Amino acid sequence: MIAVPDGEDGGDTMSPKELQYIEDALGHEKYLITQCTFAAERLEDDTLRQEAKKLCEKHQRIFNSLYSLV
């Protein structure tokens, strides 16, 4: 089990099911980052390209946040 701070006693353990959920979510976020990057590189419309880049940044922040849990 992996230690995860819970804010009160400084640590708690993550169950295997919780860890699997985080790993799945990381995989989904990585996929979304890849797709947004792919779109941003190929879009010709500047407005749409900027929106795709914003989505990349958003999903990268979510990925980083989830990754910090493990």
Side-chain angles (χ1 to χ4, degrees):
M1 295 188 156
I2 297 176
V4 178
D6 68 359
E8 289 190 20
D9 63 4
D12 201 356
T13 55
M14 187 178 293
S15 73
K17 188 173 184 175
E18 291 168 323
L19 182 57
Q20 184 62 51
Y21 173 80
I22 300 261
E23 289 173 351
D24 289 347
L26 285 168
H28 292 298
E29 290 303 324
K30 188 173 181 180
Y31 173 76
L32 290 169
I33 292 165
T34 301
Q35 293 302 304
C36 291
T37 301
F38 180 84
E41 291 172 351
R42 286 158 183 78
L43 286 167
E44 294 180 13
D45 183 277
D46 288 335
T47 303
L48 290 175
R49 186 180 310 116
Q50 289 302 317
E51 289 302 314
K53 288 180 180 180
K54 286 180 188 177
L55 285 172
C56 288
E57 293 168 3
K58 175 183 176 182
H59 288 293
Q60 185 64 57
R61 285 191 304 274
I62 294 170
F63 179 92
N64 293 344
S65 180
L66 290 168
Y67 190 78
S68 73
L69 297 174
V70 295

